[in-house]
Amino acid sequence: MGRMIKIIKRSFSSWIRKIFKKKAVRIGIYGPPNAGKTTLANRIVRDWSGDDVIGIVSEIPHETRRVIRKENVRINANGVAVTLDIVDTPGLATKIDFHDFMAFGMDEEEAKRRAKEGTEGVIEAIKWLDDIDGVLLIMDAAEDPFTQVNVIVVGNMEARELPLLIVANKIDLPDASPARIKSAFPQHPVVPISALDGINVDKLYESIADRFG
């Protein structure tokens, strides 16, 4: 019953947008920690709005611990224009251990605080799934995609019937293999990019316009 209510709610929201010709599509950027979600969000905002970054990027996991939003980002690619409300979400994880943060030089108190905030961020990210129209799921192309987090996330979004585009990020790394991600999740389109270097992002914008426009 709960799932049915959510589907009806999402369909109703989509219908309202069409009635009032509101063309903004709310896109959630999801994925595990350090996959490059905020790096991609920053690139999209810089490329299409002219604004500066919307979030801080670092090598420390769970740098983004609260949802960050940027509204009315208009993308025009391959002859199709689409206005996005971007929702950059904290990294999804099944476990957040404060010891992992101490490896980056944090003292125990700070590490525990960050682990608590990271856990709260995961909960907030999941709640946002009820209020978005589609998902960019970011995966690190240099890592094994057959992880518990990725399988759970893809299954959850399929159950919610959310349009999904998988972004195989970090193809600038020598061990990157977008084909490995495609093999793991053949039922979804996969776009290989480097959000950091801008490699193939034009193809991603075309895919976003085609998928969500």
Side-chain angles (χ1 to χ4, degrees):
M1 177 63 74
R3 177 171 172 268
M4 181 61 68
I5 292 174
K6 291 174 183 176
I7 292 173
I8 293 173
K9 178 182 176 183
R10 189 158 54 243
S11 298
F12 182 74
S13 298
S14 177
W15 179 75
I16 288 293
R17 279 194 294 275
K18 289 178 180 177
I19 290 294
F20 291 98
K21 300 186 182 303
K22 182 181 177 181
K23 296 181 179 178
V25 180
R26 185 172 290 162
I27 297 298
I29 300 180
Y30 282 81
N34 282 6
K37 298 179 297 299
T38 301
T39 301
L40 177 59
N42 288 340
R43 176 165 290 280
I44 295 173
V45 169
R46 280 198 304 262
D47 285 351
W48 295 100
S49 75
D51 291 344
D52 204 352
V53 300
I54 63 171
I56 299 172
V57 175
S58 82
E59 63 176 354
I60 304 174
H62 300 283
E63 183 64 58
T64 302
R65 300 184 295 284
R66 302 290 301 184
V67 163
I68 302 171
R69 298 177 60 189
K70 177 67 177 178
E71 297 182 326
N72 296 318
V73 178
R74 187 170 177 80
I75 287 177
N76 195 327
N78 206 24
V80 178
V82 57
T83 301
L84 303 179
D85 289 345
I86 296 172
V87 181
D88 180 27
T89 66
L92 298 176
T94 54
K95 178 183 178 183
I96 301 178
D97 189 336
F98 75 90
H99 292 96
D100 294 338
F101 300 114
M102 295 180 72
F104 289 91
M106 296 182 187
D107 60 34
E108 183 171 332
E109 181 179 357
E110 183 182 7
K112 287 183 175 178
R113 177 181 56 78
R114 178 171 284 239
K116 179 176 180 293
E117 292 174 351
T119 301
E120 292 170 347
V122 171
I123 296 170
E124 184 183 17
I126 292 172
K127 287 181 177 178
W128 265 94
L129 283 171
D130 291 337
D131 293 309
I132 59 176
D133 302 309
V135 173
L136 295 179
L137 178 57
I138 316 301
M139 297 185 188
D140 186 336
E143 300 288 337
D144 181 1
F146 291 100
T147 65
Q148 185 180 22
V149 169
N150 285 341
V151 171
I152 291 175
V153 169
V154 170
N156 191 314
M157 292 170 184
E158 288 174 344
R160 292 170 181 265
E161 300 181 352
L162 282 169
L164 175 63
L165 182 63
I166 296 177
V167 181
N169 191 28
K170 303 188 182 183
I171 62 171
D172 53 298
L173 297 181
D175 294 333
S177 175
R180 193 165 46 198
I181 295 176
K182 184 61 181 175
S183 175
F185 305 102
Q187 70 274 36
H188 295 290
V190 176
V191 182
I193 70 162
S194 169
L196 181 64
D197 292 342
I199 300 171
N200 212 37
V201 291
D202 288 343
K203 180 62 179 177
L204 174 62
Y205 294 144
E206 291 177 6
S207 297
I208 290 174
D210 289 342
R211 187 97 172 135
F212 304 115

